[in-house]
Amino acid sequence: MSKTLKIGIIGSGGIAGAHARAYKQMLGVEVAAVADIIPGRAQQFIEHWELPQATAYDDYRQLLDTELDGVSICTPNVAHYQTTVDALNAGKHVMLEKPMSVTLEEAVTMAETALKTGFMLNIGFQPRYDPNMAIIRDLISSGELGKVYYVETGGGRRRGMPGGTFIRKDIAGAGAMADIGCYSLDMAMNALGYPKPLTVSAFTSNHFGTNPLYHKEADKFDVEDFGVAMIRFEGDIVLNFKISWAMHMDSLGAALFLGTNAGLKVTPSGSGPWSGVFDGSVGSITMFHDVQGHHTESPIPIIQHQTDLFHAKVWDFAEAVRDGRPAPIPGSQIVRNQAVIDGIIRSAQTKKEVDIFLPSPFA
């Protein structure tokens, strides 16, 4: 495709700026339209990011009526479903910010719409673009660990609670699970080849977010700030998942992959109260195995890189649109990620293990 790629941005909140910045750095790509439900906000965004070719809209449906190759959907979580379905039906490729949706039913319909229309639904999990994530995936898929039967992932922040739309269930759908938990789930599930989840037993709480000592919007906080779950997958794999926005602890530990031939320990990068989760880069990778009967620990060299992970995910989407490639991180795959989050929420509410039912072709 030699013509200029025309992109629209729906929702002009904080994360939309990162999309605008990335698109501006690409040759042959133009942000041609911006929509926001708050009158005047789209125009302010256009002026702030210096997007001279862009037209402002207060109704995203008007934006979808224009000639665009694709859209970045940067709305609050609750609006992901309808906006995505409308965009796909309007013939636009979609770059959707995480989490995919609020409910599993919504995710299924979104993925089905992408399959029906033939337009791309790409989900924005930028940690996948860390080359060290590829090392983890390749080590596990190579069979070097043998059969992987137990995985532990998640991690947690000592303090790292957002505010605004992130903490309201009617807008976000969920808290730490949807915000950072989906990244940890993707790290593990992608490495395993995205196995089918079967059951979930979970617990969640919000002791910190609802306490004015720890959060200035405690009176508005009605999502979880902590959660743990045991998830059973097809192929006799179990996942011990844990996530935290806030806790009285420095870490919930490394990610672990236990196999019959070897084990893998992965730590997240960064330090401080906002670190400790896999929403960014990898800190270290170590393989535990036996060599001639001796317990051996082999550090896997980390690739030191300067990759802007967010730019990489937006660039990959734009190039996939330009080249006619499938979605780099397809919604049809991430339905299973959403199924786990949905199961965690249901299990925590009912205080018992729940089954996960996925319709064809996602089962």
Side-chain angles (χ1 to χ4, degrees):
M1 184 186 297
S2 58
K3 73 181 182 82
T4 297
L5 206 65
K6 292 189 175 183
I7 300 293
I9 297 177
I10 301 175
S12 61
I15 200 66
H19 285 254
R21 182 188 297 110
Y23 287 127
K24 285 186 66 176
Q25 294 172 351
M26 300 176 196
L27 294 175
V29 178
E30 171 188 296
V31 176
V34 178
D36 196 288
I37 195 172
I38 300 175
R41 191 170 178 180
Q43 185 59 43
Q44 291 173 359
F45 183 89
I46 288 170
E47 293 170 2
H48 176 79
W49 288 101
E50 299 178 349
L51 306 171
Q53 306 302 320
T55 301
Y57 297 94
D58 294 337
D59 188 332
Y60 76 86
R61 290 166 294 190
Q62 294 175 331
L63 176 149
L64 293 177
D65 284 338
T66 64
E67 291 188 12
L68 297 170
D69 299 290
V71 294
S72 275
I73 295 179
C74 305
T75 64
N77 301 348
V78 72
H80 284 187
Y81 165 70
Q82 193 62 58
T83 311
T84 296
V85 169
D86 288 346
L88 292 168
N89 283 326
K92 309 297 190 279
H93 296 291
V94 173
M95 167 78 244
L96 176 64
E97 268 302 322
K98 59 78 189 170
M100 185 173 176
S101 61
V102 171
T103 69
L104 174 58
E105 290 75 17
E106 288 178 347
V108 167
T109 300
M110 293 156 73
E112 287 176 340
T113 303
L115 294 174
K116 179 183 69 177
T117 62
F119 287 92
M120 183 196 313
L121 171 54
N122 189 64
I123 312 301
F125 285 161
Q126 67 267 15
R128 283 219 200 167
Y129 292 93
D130 181 341
N132 297 294
M133 290 290 187
I135 291 175
I136 297 166
R137 183 197 63 226
D138 293 345
L139 277 171
I140 293 170
S141 64
S142 71
E144 194 161 351
L145 302 189
K147 172 178 169 46
V148 175
Y149 55 90
Y150 174 84
V151 180
E152 191 170 320
T153 191
R157 300 169 178 166
R158 183 168 183 170
R159 292 291 187 279
M161 294 179 286
T165 60
F166 285 88
I167 64 170
R168 290 176 49 187
K169 190 172 183 178
D170 63 330
I171 297 176
M177 293 292 171
D179 179 36
I180 53 177
C182 61
Y183 286 134
S184 296
L185 287 172
D186 185 67
M187 186 268 284
M189 294 174 71
N190 187 49
L192 295 168
Y194 254 91
K196 177 183 174 183
L198 302 175
T199 65
V200 176
S201 182
F203 166 84
T204 62
S205 64
N206 58 4
H207 298 303
F208 290 83
T210 56
N211 188 333
L213 290 175
Y214 301 109
H215 203 290
K216 64 183 179 180
E217 297 177 89
D219 59 328
K220 300 175 183 177
F221 200 109
D222 64 354
V223 293
E224 82 287 343
D225 58 35
F226 174 84
V228 292
M230 181 65 76
I231 304 135
R232 292 183 180 275
F233 288 92
E234 200 172 48
D236 288 331
I237 303 171
V238 292
L239 171 62
N240 182 357
F241 173 72
K242 49 200 176 180
I243 204 71
S244 172
W245 269 345
M247 58 184 175
H248 287 307
M249 189 53 60
D250 61 339
S251 170
L252 286 175
L256 307 176
F257 295 83
L258 300 186
T260 53
N261 296 338
L264 206 63
K265 176 188 283 187
V266 183
T267 64
S269 65
S271 60
W274 278 75
S275 66
V277 294
F278 290 97
D279 55 356
S281 300
V282 172
S284 66
I285 306 173
T286 306
M287 181 178 289
F288 292 75
H289 54 138
D290 291 351
V291 177
Q292 295 184 341
H294 298 286
H295 298 322
T296 305
E297 299 176 16
S298 302
I300 307 298
I302 289 291
I303 298 174
Q304 302 299 330
H305 65 90
Q306 300 299 318
T307 303
D308 181 330
L309 302 182
F310 201 97
H311 180 275
K313 81 170 182 182
V314 178
W315 181 90
D316 202 16
F317 165 72
E319 287 298 295
V321 174
R322 190 188 302 278
D323 299 339
R325 290 190 283 113
I329 306 177
S332 56
Q333 180 186 70
I334 306 306
V335 164
R336 293 188 172 187
N337 187 297
Q338 193 67 42
V340 172
I341 295 175
D342 183 86
I344 290 171
I345 294 170
R346 288 189 292 116
S347 175
Q349 288 174 342
T350 59
K351 301 182 186 299
K352 63 181 181 180
E353 186 176 63
V354 298
D355 292 320
I356 293 177
F357 298 101
L358 284 166
S360 179
F362 312 114

